[in-house]
Amino acid sequence: GRFTSYTVDQGLVSNSVAGLVTDERGRLWVSMNGGLTCLDPATGRMQHLTEADGVLGQEFITGAVDRGPDGRLAFGSVR
């Protein structure tokens, strides 16, 4: 196996991760103080989501993340 580490140096908005979950396509969804990021480990591409994308806030609760049986992702934020 191979291990790759991602930090603000690689494009994350914060080094403080609140939650981490994979979706059905193998992408990593990372909630942190500063927003929500979708990371495709196959390409290293990151997409940062903000309130303009429908995210309720930019501060998330540690461990408050889940993937439902239908594949939908849920993140707990302070808002």
Side-chain angles (χ1 to χ4, degrees), residues 38-47:
C38 177
L39 166 65
D40 185 339
T43 64
R45 183 175 178 271
M46 292 184 206
Q47 178 183 6

Side-chain angles (χ1 to χ4, degrees), residues 13-78:
V13 295
S14 171
N15 286 329
S16 180
V17 173
L20 179 69
V21 66
T22 58
D23 67 15
E24 293 173 337
R25 293 173 43 191
R27 296 175 299 182
L28 299 171
W29 289 82
V30 186
S31 62
M32 61 201 97
N33 289 336
L36 181 65
T37 296
C38 177
L39 166 65
D40 185 339
T43 64
R45 183 175 178 271
M46 292 184 206
Q47 178 183 6
H48 304 295
L49 303 168
T50 66
E51 292 174 357
D53 300 302
V55 177
L56 292 179
Q58 297 296 299
E59 188 175 346
F60 293 89
I61 300 167
T62 301
V65 60
D66 191 30
R67 183 172 73 187
D70 62 356
R72 283 196 254 180
L73 305 179
F75 299 89
S77 71
V78 296

